[in-house]
Amino acid sequence: MRLALATLIVLLAGCRSLGYYAHVAHGQAALLSERRPIAKVVADPKTPAKTRERLELASEARRFASTRLALPDNRSYTWYVALDRPWVAWNVFATPELSVAPITHCFPIAGCVAYRGYFRHDLAQREAARESALGHDVSIGEVPAYSTLGWFADPILSSMMRWDDDELAGTIFHELAHQELYVKDDSSFNESFATFVEREGLRQWRRSRNLPPPDERGDILDRSFTRQILALRERLGTLYAEDRPDEAKRVAKAETFEAFRGQYLVWRETEAKGDRRYDRWMAKPLNNARLLPFGLYDTWVPSFAAMFADTGGRWPVFYARVRELAKRPPDERTRELQRLATRSDAL
């Protein structure tokens, strides 16, 4: 079957696509060849104490994911890879100069997504330069972890170890949720589902360890900042749809981004009360492509929260309900998510 798939790719893909698939295959194979069982890394006297401590916590979170959250019980996140780079991969996002719609890329398993991922930073930069030369807005995003959707036993990566305990455990829950359920060509559905599992799983994880609930102030600020980005994207979309010359749109685009910088400073000092966590993001040049990831991860989180409440917090029943919803046609699926979100807001 794998040979047939490889042959099909050869017949249908151009040289550039074949080169990309080869790069991805090589990068994934390198991770598999470099991984070590976490138990052996923990037992190794050469392992730094801090690394041992984090891996022990990751192992506890991994067991909790399967025993308490009913997530897949497999070998994923029972291995460790010490990377020779700060991030495992880099995603390249692109949009037309006068559009907020992403330039999508379609793959045999993952379906269509709004980016191309690279295991090497120089190749991501080369792809970004190619898109820029075509006149597109471009952005490169750093990737600390990802899921192969159960095709391989995904490892804990050294790029994940810099996080605090909640982020490490939450990421394991998030990525295993992708293995539990993944819908082709619907990134917002997939990421919102995984984000809900991550957040609810983290609440239950902390409760099991006699810890207080997660501090939600950061999430509240994230949601507030995301709403502003989505409003900015909507304003730009309206601007680009206007019947006027492209040069006038370019000027208005620059003015819109500049006005947003001023709005951000006011928001930071008022609603965010001086919190500067977004300053690094705002310091970089703004363009359409940099806005793409926002809203992708949490658009439908309230909808999944409502579904979870309807099941009485029973994970297997919840997953079964989500699978039923995933089978519906895209438009019908979206309408149901909107209905659930409205009900969640009312509650």
Side-chain angles (χ1 to χ4, degrees):
M1 178 177 178
R2 290 180 182 175
L3 178 60
L5 177 60
T7 303
L8 180 62
I9 291 174
V10 170
L11 290 174
L12 299 182
C15 293
R16 179 169 170 272
S17 294
L18 285 177
Y20 176 74
Y21 286 132
H23 163 70
V24 171
H26 180 269
Q28 180 62 38
L31 288 181
L32 296 178
S33 67
E34 293 167 6
R35 65 186 182 178
R36 297 172 61 198
I38 287 180
K40 289 188 176 181
V41 177
V42 169
D44 188 341
K46 296 180 181 179
T47 299
K50 185 63 175 177
T51 300
R52 183 181 296 110
E53 176 186 325
R54 306 309 308 290
L55 288 176
E56 287 174 342
L57 180 133
S59 295
E60 291 178 26
R62 178 65 188 86
R63 287 190 293 272
F64 184 88
S66 294
T67 59
R68 301 287 291 276
L69 308 182
L71 288 167
D73 187 5
N74 53 35
R75 295 192 302 160
S76 288
Y77 308 111
T78 64
W79 305 80
Y80 176 66
V81 172
L83 299 169
D84 59 356
R85 54 192 186 271
W87 309 100
V88 65
W90 292 262
N91 286 338
V92 179
F93 298 89
T95 71
E97 180 191 13
L98 298 175
S99 173
V100 292
I103 295 172
T104 57
H105 307 274
C106 300
F107 305 100
I109 297 172
C112 297
V113 295
Y115 57 84
R116 282 171 72 99
Y118 292 85
F119 287 103
R120 284 171 44 187
H121 191 222
D122 62 320
L123 293 183
Q125 290 177 312
R126 186 184 305 175
E127 173 66 9
R130 187 191 70 82
E131 291 282 5
S132 183
L134 294 173
H136 298 155
D137 280 11
V138 181
S139 176
I140 299 179
E142 299 154 340
V143 181
Y146 69 95
S147 173
T148 60
L149 308 181
W151 284 77
F152 302 100
D154 298 321
I156 296 290
L157 304 166
S158 56
S159 53
M160 301 164 62
M161 303 295 277
R162 71 188 73 181
W163 297 330
D164 63 26
D165 291 353
D166 281 0
E167 288 179 297
L168 179 58
T171 297
I172 292 171
F173 303 155
H174 184 106
E175 300 302 343
L176 285 172
H178 284 313
Q179 293 188 18
E180 178 68 30
L181 178 71
Y182 184 87
V183 181
K184 289 184 69 172
D185 305 329
D186 198 339
S187 296
S188 185
F189 183 95
N190 295 325
E191 295 300 343
S192 295
F193 165 70
T195 296
F196 169 76
V197 173
E198 173 186 347
R199 292 178 182 174
E200 178 59 31
L202 190 57
R203 280 191 283 271
Q204 296 186 17
W205 159 255
R206 289 182 65 88
R207 188 164 60 242
S208 75
R209 296 166 66 83
N210 296 317
L211 296 172
D215 186 348
E216 295 188 350
R217 287 176 297 180
D219 287 342
I220 292 171
L221 282 181
D222 285 343
R223 289 194 291 270
S224 177
F225 185 70
T226 296
R227 283 195 296 270
Q228 294 185 75
I229 295 292
L230 295 179
L232 170 63
R233 196 161 67 195
E234 186 174 350
R235 288 197 298 273
L236 289 167
T238 300
L239 165 67
Y240 299 146
E242 292 177 358
D243 184 17
R244 54 170 158 167
D246 286 353
E247 188 54 40
K249 292 181 182 179
R250 293 187 183 99
V251 172
K253 172 185 177 182
E255 292 174 344
T256 301
F257 278 127
E258 192 59 30
F260 180 76
R261 289 190 182 280
Q263 294 167 15
Y264 167 75
L265 294 176
V266 173
W267 175 86
R268 186 186 69 186
E269 300 307 316
T270 54
E271 185 173 340
K273 302 187 185 308
D275 192 304
R276 295 176 174 269
R277 70 182 63 197
Y278 307 101
D279 282 7
R280 179 173 174 265
W281 190 89
M282 289 294 301
K284 298 179 181 178
L286 295 175
N287 64 30
N288 301 326
R290 293 199 66 210
L291 310 182
L292 287 177
F294 287 88
L296 182 66
Y297 285 80
D298 55 9
T299 300
W300 302 120
V301 168
S303 307
F304 289 113
M307 291 181 68
F308 188 72
D310 287 345
T311 68
R314 293 172 293 169
W315 287 105
V317 178
F318 169 67
Y319 296 143
R321 295 272 180 88
V322 176
R323 285 194 192 90
E324 291 174 5
L325 178 59
K327 293 176 183 177
R328 299 188 189 182
D331 290 345
E332 184 180 334
R333 188 164 65 226
T334 298
R335 285 195 297 272
E336 177 62 12
L337 289 169
Q338 290 171 335
R339 185 189 70 80
L340 289 165
T342 300
R343 198 187 81 194
S344 180
D345 289 342
L347 292 173

